Amino acid sequence: MALPDWTYFSNHGHVLFCLARQPDMLLREVAAKVGITERAVQRIVADLEEAGALRRERDGRRNRYTINPNTPLRHHNEAHCTVGMLIDIVVGRK
């Protein structure tokens, strides 16, 4: 049976999960894992920063990303849940 060409999560979610697993991952590596361009990942990271779900900090020559687990999910159907709850389910606690 062939896998469908859609997933249950958006690219924003996939990027968030990658950075939750590995906070110092290069955006080009995120792009390769998600299957989108590096430029698209940069836009998504900017969206997540603007929403308060993600913070970028310089760590030497690299960036390190910190997830704000208290950020509520954006759609009204899931607004009672937080980014942290979603990451706990998909990625698990470290």
Side-chain angles (χ1 to χ4, degrees), residues 51-84:
L54 187 70
R55 188 178 68 219
R56 176 185 354 207
E57 300 171 0
R58 287 302 278 175
D59 186 10
R61 293 181 50 175
R62 297 182 77 154
N63 287 323
R64 182 168 192 78
Y65 300 91
T66 305
I67 309 287
N68 177 358
N70 299 317
T71 306
L73 298 182
R74 294 174 50 96
H75 194 278
H76 65 272
N77 285 335
E78 298 90 30
H80 63 284
C81 298
T82 64
V83 166

Side-chain angles (χ1 to χ4, degrees), residues 29-57:
E29 295 170 335
V30 174
K33 284 191 172 287
V34 175
I36 58 178
T37 66
E38 186 175 349
R39 184 72 184 132
V41 172
Q42 290 169 349
R43 284 191 301 269
I44 289 170
V45 166
D47 287 346
L48 293 170
E49 283 182 296
E50 185 177 320
L54 187 70
R55 188 178 68 219
R56 176 185 354 207
E57 300 171 0

